[in-house]
């Protein structure tokens, strides 16, 4: 109503004593891929900004470019149009600044191309959608710090190979996981 962005759907359940895994669940559509995402992002409002997220910044430290990317993705996926950056020194608030979500990629020192980020995210998610197809499967996506590629491991296959090698006495160790989940 009134052109406001869609709000995250709050979780609800019958047992108030059981902890909730997430504060909200949101549906994010990235081109042809829809995802259900859980988030603990806190949302606030003011007269000028009906919905905004909040991030605390230690002003004694530089703002890391990956932090800005994280803030942008959080807001983008939850359809939050603004971010309040609250600066502090030793816990004492020194001020705040509200930015539109679409301005975040262009902050000085933290510039990134939002279209390239979304293109890469779509390519990765499309690959996972096409190749990680075992119902209820568990997969491990790994990108090593200096690598320009990712690796995807099917944990069921890895655990089976480790256990098979151990059973044959081939020197391989049994699964290091106390409770196999693959």
């Amino acid at each position: 109503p009134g052109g406001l962005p869609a709000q995250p759907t709050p979780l609800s359940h019958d047992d108030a004593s059981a902890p909730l895994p997430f504060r909200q669940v949101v549906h994010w559509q990235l081109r042809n891929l829809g995802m259900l995402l859980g988030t603990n992002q806190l949302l606030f409002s003011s007269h000028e900004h009906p919905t905004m997220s909040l991030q605390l910044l230690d002003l004694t430290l530089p703002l890391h470019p990956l932090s800005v990317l994280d803030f942008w993705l959080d807001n983008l996926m939850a359809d939050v149009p603004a971010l309040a950056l609250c600066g502090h020194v030793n816990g004492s608030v020194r001020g705040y600044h509200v930015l539109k979500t679409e301005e975040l990629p262009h902050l000085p020192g933290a510039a990134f191309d939002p279209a390239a980020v979304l293109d890469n995210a779509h390519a990765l998610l499309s690959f996972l959608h096409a190749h990680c197809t075992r119902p209820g499967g568990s997969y491990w996506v790994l990108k090593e710090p200096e690598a320009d590629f990712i690796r995807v491991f099917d944990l069921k296959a890895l655990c089976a190979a480790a256990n098979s090698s151990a059973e044959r006495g081939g020197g391989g160790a049994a699964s290091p996981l106390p409770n196999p989940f693959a």
Side-chain angles (χ1 to χ4, degrees):
L4 293 178
Q7 296 296 308
T9 306
L11 284 175
S12 64
H13 63 86
D14 296 338
D15 183 3
S17 65
L20 292 172
F22 301 107
R23 191 174 301 278
Q24 299 99 14
V25 174
V26 296
H27 179 265
W28 185 45
Q29 190 71 35
L30 179 59
R31 299 179 187 147
N32 63 328
L33 299 170
M35 289 161 275
L36 197 57
L37 306 169
T39 178
N40 288 323
Q41 185 179 35
L42 295 174
L43 301 178
F44 300 89
S45 67
S46 70
H47 292 292
E48 296 171 22
H49 303 282
T51 307
M52 65 182 147
S53 62
L54 172 70
Q55 291 293 333
L56 302 177
L57 296 176
D58 184 342
L59 295 176
T60 64
L61 301 173
L63 180 59
H64 196 281
L66 291 179
S67 296
V68 178
L69 176 63
D70 188 42
F71 303 160
W72 177 74
L73 283 170
D74 283 347
N75 275 17
L76 184 72
M77 290 186 283
D79 199 21
V80 177
L83 168 70
L85 292 173
C86 179
H88 71 89
V89 175
N90 295 326
S92 177
V93 174
R94 300 298 168 112
Y96 72 94
H97 188 71
V98 178
L99 298 164
K100 292 180 180 177
T101 297
E102 65 264 15
E103 295 171 345
L104 295 175
H106 311 291
L107 284 178
F112 58 89
D113 180 0
V117 171
L118 293 177
D119 286 346
N120 287 333
H122 187 263
L124 174 61
L125 292 170
S126 294
F127 175 86
L128 294 174
H129 181 73
H131 294 89
C132 299
T133 57
R134 192 168 38 82
S138 295
Y139 299 88
W140 177 24
V141 180
L142 173 69
K143 185 202 176 285
E144 297 176 89
E146 300 303 318
D148 60 356
F149 59 90
I150 63 164
R151 292 192 268 176
V152 179
F153 299 94
D154 182 337
L155 293 181
K156 182 176 184 178
L158 285 176
C159 289
N163 289 334
S164 168
S165 177
E167 289 170 5
R168 288 191 315 265
S175 173
L177 305 172
N179 298 308
F181 54 88

